[in-house]
Amino acid sequence: MSEPTDFRLDFRPGRREALGLLLGVAATAAAPPAFAQDAPPDVGVPRLGEELTPFGAVQAGNRTRAIPRWTGGLTEAPRGYVPGRPSPDPYIEDVRWFTVGAADVERYKVRLTAGQQALLAKYPESFELALFPCHRSAAAPQRIYDATLANADRAGLGENGLALRDASVGVPFPIPANGVQAMWNHKLRWRGGSVSRTSLTVVQSGDGRSMTKLREEFASPYADGDMAAPPLLYRRTILEPKEQAGSSLILQGTLDPIAARTHAWAREGERGRVVRAPDFAYDTPDPVTGGICTADMLDMFSGALDRFDYTLVTRREMYMPYNAYRLSNPGLTMRDILWPGHPNPQFLRYEMHRVWVVDARLKPNFKHALPDRTYYLDEDSWQILASEHYNGKGDLLRYAEAHPVQHWQVPALVPAVEFAFDLTADRYTARGLDNGLPPPVFGAPLTPQDFTPDALVRRGRRG
């Protein structure tokens, strides 16, 4: 995670400047901007299901109408859908609203993340943000909304303010009171009760391109109301390259990181021994991403919340990746999508959305390669759409974006591709590329027993 000594940092906004901009105040060199610890934004006296959506988003649009009113999201097949074929882009007829290039940063800075500003400054001739009309497409099943409304009256935090108590099925804290609650919302957001997909993780660098083909499987017993099983289950198996085929990783999440840590197991190769992998946590480099991402950057953020202090900074309108249907076009190739330094902006779509901003700072007496972070959580789904990762000096080293699509059949908003950029070098990783591959299978017949070390032993190369 170290950076080259000859690399210049001056194109990246500093952490103090970025937080100051988010709060709408001028940052000073003497101190970071002040904000009340864990103070939620002033939303008056909101009522879930009325002024607020069931997930706690502001139901109304904004004053300029750039953000429309939420009317339930995308839950029906788009025009032109043919069963058995990939779903067409429901917004294909949208005309680009405008473009933000490197020369436009000062004009639009209030709407841009620090990571977006860094990419625009680093690649002024090739990178840009294409802004399209906002569609609040995020939607979930009614049972998830009903459970979320119930959680609002009963869910809480115990055991050092980290363990989740008395929540089930839905988003635990639709009106979050602090940063930890907001991060729990991301961890337990609705994304389908189970899903299986085959995808590519690609590392693009100046030296070329390396590619790993994976089968990923996810299940959420929490979303099914099974409180006896681990709440979140994840398994990935390498299919290609051949020399790594069969290597697998299993993660079992927890609602109480004090009483029960996240469990991890790994197997190297199709016939290797299944061993515990306690080191796959926190800032351990994820080898599939070439070390660009740490273990806790999986799914934009995963793992325990115990090593950082999380502060709910604000809720504001920003330019966020959304409705990334053109990025999932089955006719696109890796060469079409992945350019040196950054993905082809022609296939990226940004919209103005309201996001919750959470500031994360490493607690004393802990160590982490990226000790300061900023997360941007979509108010309509609680999906983290962007995250910034700083070193201890306030220099921005990593930036990640999730480009989601709404799967209307489920319904659920799920990232199509996650990009993570190493801003100290000309390299980045793309996770979840499935162009030309079978689409994700929601409702896959997965049980908690499929995410155990015994399952790896039984299934061999099939993982």
Side-chain angles (χ1 to χ4, degrees):
M1 301 294 293
S2 61
E3 57 193 75
T5 56
D6 61 345
F7 188 79
R8 296 184 62 193
L9 303 178
D10 54 1
F11 73 89
R12 289 171 281 175
R15 182 165 177 76
R16 293 174 179 176
E17 177 190 355
L19 279 175
L21 191 64
L22 288 170
L23 289 166
V25 299
T28 66
F35 47 86
Q37 178 72 22
D38 289 342
D42 180 10
V43 293
V45 185
R47 288 177 291 183
L48 290 172
E50 296 182 27
E51 291 89 353
L52 302 181
T53 73
F55 281 178
V58 177
Q59 187 156 318
N62 67 352
R63 290 182 302 172
T64 65
R65 300 183 181 178
I67 298 176
R69 180 179 180 84
W70 185 78
T71 57
L74 180 66
T75 59
E76 297 180 355
R79 186 174 63 185
Y81 171 68
V82 176
R85 296 184 181 179
S87 183
D89 182 352
Y91 311 119
I92 194 170
E93 295 181 358
D94 283 357
V95 176
R96 184 184 294 208
W97 188 15
F98 63 94
T99 301
V100 178
D104 306 307
V105 168
E106 284 301 318
R107 179 179 180 183
Y108 297 110
K109 183 180 286 188
V110 70
R111 306 291 185 206
L112 300 172
T113 67
Q116 290 166 347
Q117 295 175 50
L119 288 173
L120 289 166
K122 187 174 183 181
Y123 304 104
E125 302 300 325
S126 58
F127 186 70
E128 62 185 20
L129 273 68
L131 269 295
F132 286 83
C134 172
H135 294 280
R136 297 178 70 178
S137 54
Q142 187 61 46
R143 72 176 185 88
I144 302 299
Y145 293 147
D146 293 342
T148 298
L149 294 173
N151 285 338
D153 293 327
R154 68 190 181 196
L157 296 175
E159 299 300 329
N160 299 326
L162 294 173
L164 184 65
R165 296 285 185 265
D166 303 320
S168 178
V169 181
V171 171
F173 304 105
I175 305 178
N178 54 56
V180 172
Q181 291 185 358
M183 296 302 286
W184 268 118
N185 287 349
H186 166 77
K187 284 165 61 71
L188 296 174
R189 71 196 186 280
W190 170 250
R191 58 197 119 160
S194 64
V195 63
S196 175
R197 70 172 182 173
T198 301
S199 65
L200 302 176
T201 294
V202 180
V203 178
Q204 179 78 38
S205 68
D207 298 331
R209 180 183 301 156
S210 63
M211 183 173 64
T212 305
K213 187 176 183 180
L214 300 167
R215 181 174 61 251
E216 295 181 286
E217 293 158 308
F218 164 85
S220 176
Y222 169 91
D224 291 332
D226 182 358
M227 303 307 290
L232 299 171
L233 300 167
Y234 173 79
R235 180 175 65 195
R236 76 182 185 199
T237 303
I238 295 178
L239 305 178
E240 297 176 5
K242 184 177 180 179
E243 59 270 19
Q244 299 178 30
S247 295
S248 299
L249 172 72
I250 283 179
L251 300 175
Q252 294 183 353
T254 177
L255 297 179
D256 188 341
I258 305 301
R261 295 279 178 178
T262 295
H263 294 301
W265 292 271
R267 184 189 63 202
E268 187 171 346
E270 60 181 278
R271 302 300 178 193
R273 292 179 57 234
V274 178
V275 298
R276 282 191 175 274
D279 293 336
F280 193 83
Y282 304 112
D283 62 349
T284 300
D286 186 346
V288 172
T289 69
I292 294 175
C293 296
T294 54
D296 58 7
M297 290 171 68
L298 183 69
D299 190 34
M300 297 301 286
F301 174 83
S302 62
L305 294 162
D306 57 335
R307 293 194 179 182
F308 285 77
D309 290 317
Y310 298 91
T311 301
L312 195 60
V313 178
T314 187
R315 174 162 45 183
R316 64 178 300 130
E317 301 167 1
M318 301 189 73
Y319 299 149
M320 287 286 121
Y322 225 91
N323 293 312
Y325 295 96
R326 63 174 56 197
L327 191 59
S328 301
N329 188 317
L332 296 179
T333 67
M334 297 301 102
R335 185 184 297 272
D336 295 327
I337 298 172
L338 304 178
W339 282 5
H342 60 80
N344 184 346
Q346 176 184 350
F347 302 115
L348 306 183
R349 178 182 176 122
Y350 294 85
E351 302 176 1
M352 184 187 288
H353 283 263
R354 281 185 291 249
V355 292
W356 295 94
V357 181
V358 172
D359 173 68
R361 300 192 180 194
L362 190 68
K363 293 179 178 179
N365 302 320
F366 285 105
K367 293 183 178 180
H368 197 289
L370 301 166
D372 292 319
R373 295 167 161 194
T374 304
Y375 295 98
Y376 302 84
L377 292 77
D378 175 33
E379 69 163 352
D380 286 333
S381 66
W382 291 104
Q383 167 72 49
I384 292 176
L385 296 175
S387 61
E388 294 152 355
H389 304 264
Y390 298 80
N391 64 14
K393 300 177 182 179
D395 300 319
L396 181 58
L397 303 187
R398 301 286 189 272
Y399 175 62
E401 286 187 345
H403 291 247
V405 297
Q406 172 68 10
H407 291 270
W408 52 270
Q409 308 95 321
V410 183
L413 187 85
V414 178
V417 183
E418 294 177 12
F419 296 105
F421 302 90
D422 178 357
L423 296 173
T424 69
D426 289 320
R427 64 184 191 134
Y428 65 100
T429 185
R431 295 200 267 198
L433 292 164
D434 63 358
N435 308 78
L437 296 173
V441 177
F442 290 90
L446 298 168
T447 68
Q449 289 69 39
D450 293 318
F451 298 85
T452 63
D454 287 344
L456 286 185
V457 173
R458 292 194 306 269
R459 299 185 65 173
R461 180 171 178 174
R462 292 179 296 121

